[in-house]
Amino acid sequence: APVKNFILKLKFRIGEGNSGVQYRSRLTGKWQVAGYQADIASSADLAGLLYEEGGRGILANVGQLVHVAADGTKSVLGAVSDAGQAGVMVPNEWNDYTITARGKHIVHELNGVQRVEVIDEDAKGAAEGIIALQLHTGPPMNIAFKEIQIRTLDAEFGVPVQLFDGKTLQGWTYSNDNQKDTWAVGDGVITDTGQPAGYIRTEADYTNYALRVQLRHVKQGNSGVLVRMVG
């Protein structure tokens, strides 16, 4: 039966070769399906990418946070992990795969490490479909799967909102005028000088949401993300 919003968990073991987990997919012929694919490969820099079989090809390479606009334009908004991170993919051993598909939001995790995150607003992206395990064409290969579990999700997220455009602080304001020289944008990142103390905040209000943000401490210190703040 087709499934729409879910968290899919499984274990796989592969040596040399290429495989994948098809989801929100459709039958296109004997032994053939098309749709989203969570890639499986013995190479760490490939295992975990998001591919669309029979369609748009690679939607997100390993390590990427990607937005696909309604017109099909792809934008890399940031990184979610190190593409070639050692130990994430272990050939010839059991590996854990978690695939979360909720509305237009997709996340792949491999052995507990997030590998891709995609917001797909293109109408070409399927909202539901079957799940299939791939045996890739080409030379003989061997892959094993076990402990395949799925939990369906009742609700979808609303239309995703990008709070930071990667270029400007449009949509943000300062806690006081002294902060105007504290905050800046460089190389797609919001930066600050470290003083004086204060914060920037969104101009718009938000009530119920799932907020995702990446942060990095450049020097030892203390910071935070304020939510549902007032005053």
Side-chain angles (χ1 to χ4, degrees):
V3 288
K4 188 174 184 179
N5 300 312
F6 56 86
I7 300 174
L8 174 66
K9 293 188 175 185
L10 57 85
K11 292 181 183 292
F12 70 86
R13 183 175 60 195
I14 189 173
E16 293 296 326
N18 183 288
S19 181
V21 179
Q22 292 285 146
Y23 58 96
R24 287 183 175 176
S25 295
R26 66 188 188 280
L27 290 171
T28 59
K30 189 175 182 180
W31 315 120
Q32 292 182 325
V33 297
Y36 291 123
Q37 181 189 124
D39 193 73
I40 294 174
S42 53
S43 173
D45 59 354
L46 295 176
L49 66 78
L50 174 57
Y51 183 82
E52 189 180 70
E53 185 74 33
R56 294 170 291 171
I58 295 176
L59 296 179
N61 283 303
V62 170
Q64 292 182 333
L65 167 60
V66 172
H67 174 247
V68 185
D71 64 1
T73 302
K74 291 190 295 183
S75 301
V76 179
L77 303 180
V80 295
S81 65
D82 179 4
Q85 186 172 343
V88 171
M89 166 61 199
V90 185
N92 299 308
E93 299 290 342
W94 288 108
N95 295 272
D96 293 304
Y97 222 152
T98 301
I99 302 162
T100 302
R102 193 171 196 173
K104 301 178 185 303
H105 186 242
I106 295 171
V107 174
H108 294 173
E109 296 172 89
L110 182 58
N111 291 330
V113 178
Q114 188 171 335
R115 302 300 272 160
V116 297
E117 181 167 355
V118 175
I119 299 169
D120 187 4
E121 298 189 84
D122 190 341
K124 293 179 181 178
E128 65 179 358
I130 60 173
I131 292 171
L133 307 177
Q134 183 190 48
L135 186 61
H136 207 283
T137 57
M141 57 164 293
N142 190 302
I143 185 168
F145 297 92
K146 68 176 183 177
E147 298 180 27
I148 305 169
Q149 307 171 66
I150 191 169
R151 177 163 68 89
T152 57
L153 303 173
D154 295 331
E156 293 185 9
F157 291 118
V159 176
V161 176
Q162 295 295 331
L163 297 181
F164 172 51
D165 63 14
K167 300 176 183 178
T168 69
L169 291 176
Q170 182 177 353
W172 295 80
T173 189
Y174 307 95
S175 58
N176 56 66
D177 288 341
N178 293 332
Q179 292 293 303
K180 290 183 177 180
D181 295 326
T182 300
W183 300 89
V185 175
D187 296 326
V189 175
I190 297 176
T191 62
D192 69 87
T193 62
Q195 59 182 354
Y199 56 84
I200 55 172
R201 64 171 177 83
T202 60
E203 294 174 338
D205 290 339
Y206 300 94
T207 305
N208 300 314
Y209 48 80
L211 174 67
R212 293 193 56 81
V213 60
Q214 288 185 304
L215 62 89
R216 178 177 61 191
H217 271 285
V218 180
K219 295 182 179 180
Q220 184 175 354
N222 183 287
S223 183
V225 178
L226 304 173
V227 296
R228 288 183 172 177
M229 59 176 295
V230 295

